[in-house]
Amino acid sequence: MKILVINAGSSSLKYQLLDMADESVIAKGNCDRIGIDGHIKHTTFDGRTVDTDCPFPTHTEAFEKLVEVLTMGDASVVKSMEEISAVGHRIVQGAEIFDKTTLVTDEVIQQIDDLSELAPVHNHPHALALRACKKVITPTTPQVAVFDTAFHQTMPPKAYMFGMPFECYEKLHVRKYGFHGTSHRFVTQALADALHRDIKDMKIVSCHLGNGSSITAVDGGKSIDTSMGFTPLDGVIMGTRSGSVDPSAVTFVAKKMGFNAAQMSDYLNKQSGFLGVSGISSDNRDITAAASHGDSRAKLAGEMLRYEIKKFIGSYAAIMNGLDAVLFTGGIGENSDDLRADVCHNMEYLGIKLDDSVNEGLRGKLARISTLDSKVEVWVVPTNEELLIARDTKALVESLK
Ligand code: AMP
């Protein structure tokens, strides 16, 4: 069975075509600059490529080009789109409506679009892509929606409610939703599999650290709390996002700087975090390099992230009344051995002992990085959201037969 995985943004359409027989990637690429001019970059498993400009006024033209490169020319990988059994879409916000992977219907597309108010950057483009996909790709090919928020729908109200007037929840749907759910679900299951343990018996803190970062308490395979909130702005300091700040600081800064709501949101989402604190870059590698050359603000930004991660690990161990494993994933979590060391050192009280000889230099590989006598296992687990979307899509379409 071949599954096409789509991750659509307002101006891009990232895709992977997977062969589910061995879960290998047959082709992947990106239709970029939609609504601006248009460019496609496509690579096949055996190194054939398409890298060319072409007009993409809307997502529809991008899908038409995608069908063309998949089925025709030097870098084609299927004879016709009928070889593709289903299309799985990454959807950022499913709110309380979608607590699991869902077959896409016209009503589901409308519901996803209606949630745009909660995720303006993501959900409307997702809906555009779903409609375009239905129009262009054989209308009979099932489409499946996999939601970033669905994994966190198991959080109890005491974890997801804010201490604001109840009408904010009832009328405005303001609550913690959590994000990166597909990644947290993939890596925690991958860890349980690596340990040959039933995830139902495990208490895991999953640290997804990248440009956006979130930390999740996974108890018995279920998310019971997570660091991101109503939007992906909450939690630890990120590349350009502030993470948690006192709400009064937000109203104070808006007043002092003369920002309206949209400008304030932009300030916190795009000009804060590593970039805002260091004044240098949002990228962890740049921050690490600047810190090693003595830049004190870059050093501070890195220290803040490490400190906040430690706090989340401690607090999540407390709410789960125990901890079997901590895992690191995402661009920073998988590659930054110095961050993993700084987070895990001086955590003996919690039962965490890092094996520095294994941790050092380890990048992007599944591996245990704690010592054999560490009470809590510490692991690096590479994430693969596309693969989980493809697996979910396959399972759902098979259940329809
Ligand atoms: P992601 O959003 O998951 O793609 O992660 C992006 C982040 O990972 C950026 O801040 C990068 O600097 C960081 N990153 C990627 N590779 C490395 C590496 N080899 N060492 C340290 N940080 C890295």
Side-chain angles (χ1 to χ4, degrees):
M1 181 186 277
K2 295 187 180 81
I3 303 280
L4 181 62
V5 175
I6 299 289
N7 183 355
S10 57
S11 66
S12 69
L13 198 76
K14 296 199 190 91
Y15 61 90
Q16 276 194 14
L17 181 64
L18 289 103
D19 185 346
M20 298 312 285
D22 58 359
E23 297 189 331
S24 62
V25 176
I26 303 169
K28 63 179 174 182
N30 188 10
C31 299
D32 208 3
R33 301 179 62 82
I34 298 168
I36 307 165
D37 37 29
H39 185 90
I40 185 167
K41 194 163 182 191
H42 169 85
T43 314
T44 65
F45 67 98
D46 52 359
R48 291 168 289 145
T49 57
V50 175
D51 192 344
T52 183
D53 291 334
C54 40
F56 296 148
T58 69
H59 287 78
T60 303
E61 290 78 14
F63 268 111
E64 284 167 351
K65 187 69 187 177
L66 172 55
V67 169
E68 188 190 309
V69 297
L70 289 173
T71 57
M72 287 187 271
D74 292 343
S76 65
V77 281
V78 286
K79 288 200 180 69
S80 90
M81 291 305 280
E82 266 138 57
E83 280 181 46
I84 296 174
S85 304
V87 185
H89 293 258
R90 174 190 177 227
I91 308 292
V92 166
Q93 178 58 278
E96 291 181 340
I97 302 171
F98 300 106
D99 62 359
K100 57 179 182 298
T101 294
T102 302
L103 187 69
V104 173
T105 60
D106 287 342
E107 190 196 349
V108 167
I109 298 177
Q110 192 54 51
Q111 285 171 309
I112 290 168
D113 212 356
D114 291 344
L115 290 171
S116 293
E117 217 182 18
L118 297 182
V121 181
H122 294 105
N123 269 43
H124 183 58
H126 292 330
L128 292 175
L130 287 162
R131 290 194 181 104
C133 184
K134 187 181 163 203
K135 194 157 78 180
V136 175
I137 296 185
T138 332
T140 48
T141 308
Q143 293 193 73
V144 169
V146 182
F147 297 89
D148 267 9
T149 47
F151 183 58
H152 300 298
Q153 278 296 304
T154 46
M155 285 188 291
K158 65 186 174 192
Y160 70 66
M161 287 297 290
F162 298 135
M164 300 166 80
F166 205 73
E167 62 185 12
C168 295
Y169 171 66
E170 279 186 314
K171 294 194 186 138
L172 304 175
H173 311 291
V174 172
R175 50 158 282 180
K176 178 186 285 202
Y177 289 107
F179 297 87
H180 288 147
T182 314
S183 176
H184 289 298
R185 183 153 69 96
F186 180 85
V187 288
T188 50
Q189 187 57 56
L191 175 61
D193 293 346
L195 289 166
H196 304 292
R197 286 186 62 177
D198 188 342
I199 197 165
K200 289 202 172 67
D201 302 325
M202 292 190 71
K203 298 174 192 293
I204 304 171
V205 174
S206 173
C207 305
H208 179 118
L209 310 169
N211 278 324
S213 298
S214 72
I215 302 178
T216 299
V218 181
D219 193 351
K222 292 189 170 143
S223 166
I224 62 160
D225 203 351
T226 190
S227 61
M228 282 180 171
F230 177 59
T231 70
L233 179 59
D234 205 1
V236 298
I237 184 170
M238 298 173 233
T240 61
R241 289 175 237 164
S242 61
S244 306
V245 294
D246 181 346
S248 298
V250 178
T251 47
F252 179 83
V253 170
K255 195 168 153 209
K256 286 284 179 192
M257 308 276 264
F259 290 156
N260 62 27
Q263 289 167 323
M264 192 64 221
S265 169
D266 193 77
Y267 200 57
L268 292 170
N269 275 290
K270 300 192 182 146
Q271 300 176 53
S272 297
F274 273 6
L275 177 65
V277 172
S278 71
I280 292 174
S281 169
S282 62
D283 192 287
N284 178 58
R285 283 164 292 200
D286 298 340
I287 293 293
T288 308
S292 72
H293 289 108
D295 187 282
S296 59
R297 278 168 52 185
K299 187 163 174 278
L300 172 63
E303 284 173 355
M304 287 168 70
L305 176 61
R306 288 152 172 79
Y307 179 72
E308 291 168 12
I309 298 168
K310 261 183 192 284
K311 285 208 294 190
F312 271 107
I313 294 172
S315 61
Y316 286 170
I319 60 163
M320 290 193 286
N321 188 25
L323 186 59
D324 295 302
V326 174
L327 72 82
F328 292 93
T329 193
I332 299 176
E334 291 171 32
N335 294 301
S336 185
D337 51 359
D338 59 305
L339 174 132
R340 295 190 303 252
D342 291 340
V343 168
C344 294
H345 285 160
N346 298 317
M347 295 273 263
E348 293 81 8
Y349 177 77
L350 266 191
I352 294 174
K353 274 203 245 168
L354 199 71
D355 187 336
D356 291 304
S357 65
V358 181
N359 179 54
E360 210 178 306
L362 187 89
R363 302 205 196 292
K365 260 203 332 228
L366 177 77
R368 181 203 325 256
I369 54 171
S370 48
T371 58
L372 285 177
D373 65 343
S374 177
K375 210 171 94 206
V376 174
E377 304 249 359
V378 185
W379 282 71
V380 174
V381 184
T383 194
N384 191 340
E385 290 163 86
E386 290 78 11
L387 179 54
L388 187 67
I389 292 170
R391 283 180 185 165
D392 264 20
T393 303
K394 175 173 181 274
L396 199 145
V397 295
E398 281 178 346
S399 74
L400 299 173
K401 283 179 188 160

